[in-house]
Amino acid sequence: MSSRIRVVVAKPGLDGHDRGAKVVARALRDAGMEVIYTGLHQTPEQIVETAIQEDADAVGLSVLSGAHMTLFRRVVELLRERGADDMVVFGGGIIPDADIPDLEKLGVAKVFTPGATTRSIVDWVRANVPAAVA
């Protein structure tokens, strides 16, 4: 028997705009997923600790500040260091197309840019994030 997909949605860094993250969190929840929203101004360490404590299947990061390379990299590194690199990391925000291949090389599974629909995000998560088996 499989359980619901568990997703931690997080706002790393000093970015104070969280409307998009909240919209995505609600869409994932409304699609039947279990969502843990960390709130604003989280460090990568706090995000990874939450993801591990909550036994998340995925971590969704929202970055609008331009610090996406540093913040995404650190979250992926910390998950790897903690033996939790089976968690799928995805994200979105104001991220230049030129940076997406580098983020993917770091281990970010998918980057959503402005204009992505909540339906496309929900569909991608369902197709790419296996729920843990209870």
Side-chain angles (χ1 to χ4, degrees):
M1 177 178 180
S2 67
S3 57
R4 297 190 304 169
I5 296 171
R6 293 175 60 88
V7 182
V8 168
V9 174
K11 289 289 300 179
L14 299 177
D15 178 7
H17 301 280
D18 66 348
R19 182 175 298 163
K22 287 180 177 178
V23 167
V24 169
R26 177 169 287 200
L28 295 171
R29 184 204 64 197
D30 290 350
M33 297 176 209
E34 200 167 334
V35 178
I36 300 93
Y37 175 61
T38 64
L40 291 169
H41 311 302
Q42 298 294 294
T43 66
E45 291 79 7
Q46 290 170 314
I47 293 165
V48 168
E49 187 62 32
T50 298
I52 290 169
Q53 286 182 3
E54 294 290 344
D55 196 23
D57 302 304
V59 177
L61 302 172
S62 171
V63 178
L64 304 175
S65 66
H68 50 276
M69 294 303 294
T70 301
L71 294 168
F72 279 56
R73 175 184 288 114
R74 187 67 180 139
V75 168
V76 171
E77 286 172 352
L78 288 168
L79 286 170
R80 195 172 293 128
E81 287 173 13
R82 299 281 303 269
D85 51 341
D86 58 330
M87 288 184 198
V88 177
V89 177
F90 66 98
I94 308 298
I95 298 172
D97 290 340
D99 289 347
I100 293 173
D102 291 332
L103 289 168
E104 290 170 344
K105 286 178 191 169
L106 292 173
V108 178
K110 177 73 173 170
V111 176
F112 295 94
T113 55
T117 65
T118 54
R119 171 61 37 211
S120 69
I121 296 168
V122 166
D123 290 347
W124 184 88
V125 171
R126 280 190 176 138
N128 293 279
V129 178
V133 176

